[in-house]
Amino acid sequence: MSGVTVIAHISDLHVTGDPARRARIRAVIDHVNDRAAGIDVMVVTGDITDDGTPAQCAEAAEIIGAARVPTLVIPGNHDRRPEFSRALLDGAATDLPLNRSAVVGGVLYLMCDSTIPGRDDGWLSDGSLEWMESQIATVGADTPVVVCFHHPPATLQMPFMDGIRQIGEDRLAEVIGRHPNVVGSLCGHAHSGAVTAFAGLPLVVAPGVSATLKLPFEGEGIVDTTQPAGIAFHHLDGFRLITHFRVVV
Ligand SMILES: [Fe+2]
Ligand SMILES: [Fe+2]
């Protein structure tokens, strides 16, 4: 390896049980697997299922389990914590935020649960923010930290999604601002490969695997099913994030 970390980032798989959806997701996993020798980790930033049912969670676990790179997951607003935890995490059914952390290849990944049960918008609880602080404190200042959650904590010029984004973001920005070793934030939810700044650092939204959501000038309706599935490949060169986007036809 070159010393540069490579992160495959996918989001919004929305497993439904439909064979066509399953094939579309599986093609993305295959795309990653075919390049696994160059990839350090895969992060999946939520809406892994469409309704959060046990059957959808089981199918999602099977599809994601086929990945041949270390994989880190968080729920989105379409997932349900107890079922998600049982099928895709450690097996414990819980209504508590599903925050997890992992150090992979010398990089700390904070997988933060921004969901609010029963709602489509997002929020990181005070407890989740305290958890972030405690996790960052366990590594040295020379360890890069990548923060991941489902809901973008900033507007994206997408009126529908902006209405159900992550709120309370000033508190998150304060946490990130206290730690110079945080390199940026990765999220999903918007179903649109997008980059902006948050807390003075990159905020990268993964393209949607299941479908793309339109910008206001891209025609009637919100969902665009003609676009192919997408994936983001992030490189971490020291503390600098470099992102390339790919489609999976
Ligand atoms: Fe989604
Ligand atoms: Fe979402």
Side-chain angles (χ1 to χ4, degrees), residues 5 8 15 24 99 113 119 153 165 168 209 233 236 241 245:
T5 293
V15 167
R24 184 172 165 120
N99 300 313
D113 185 348
R119 286 173 55 164
R165 68 181 180 88
V209 167
F233 287 122
L236 193 52
L241 198 64
F245 294 101

Side-chain angles (χ1 to χ4, degrees), residues 11-12 14 45-47 75-79 120 150-152 161 164 188-191:
S11 198
D12 295 86
H14 287 267
T45 50
D47 281 0
N77 52 302
H78 281 258
D79 302 305
D120 284 329
H150 181 64
H151 298 78
M161 296 310 294
I164 52 172
H189 191 49
H191 292 235

Side-chain angles (χ1 to χ4, degrees), residues 9-146:
H9 176 196
I10 64 175
S11 198
D12 295 86
L13 285 55
H14 287 267
V15 167
T16 58
D18 173 58
R21 177 67 54 82
R22 178 185 177 89
R24 184 172 165 120
I25 301 167
R26 186 59 209 238
V28 172
I29 301 297
D30 289 346
H31 190 92
V32 170
N33 283 343
D34 289 347
R35 294 152 182 80
I39 298 170
D40 295 279
V41 66
M42 180 169 78
V43 300
V44 189
T45 50
D47 281 0
I48 295 176
T49 69
D50 204 42
D51 299 305
T53 63
Q56 290 178 2
C57 286
E59 182 177 346
E62 182 193 339
I63 298 172
I64 291 174
R68 293 198 291 269
V69 296
T71 301
L72 306 173
V73 301
I74 36 174
N77 52 302
H78 281 258
D79 302 305
R80 296 185 204 151
R81 284 177 181 165
E83 291 84 354
F84 187 96
S85 175
R86 203 180 293 126
L88 290 151
L89 291 172
D90 49 23
T94 176
D95 282 321
L96 298 173
L98 299 175
N99 300 313
R100 297 289 187 277
S101 70
V103 176
V104 183
V107 177
L108 173 64
Y109 298 86
L110 295 182
M111 308 302 293
C112 310
D113 185 348
S114 64
T115 67
I116 308 169
R119 286 173 55 164
D120 284 329
D121 57 347
W123 162 268
L124 289 173
S125 70
D126 290 346
S128 292
L129 294 169
E130 290 165 11
W131 171 84
M132 289 178 64
E133 292 267 17
S134 70
Q135 296 302 304
I136 296 171
T138 65
V139 298
D142 55 351
T143 297
V145 180
V146 178

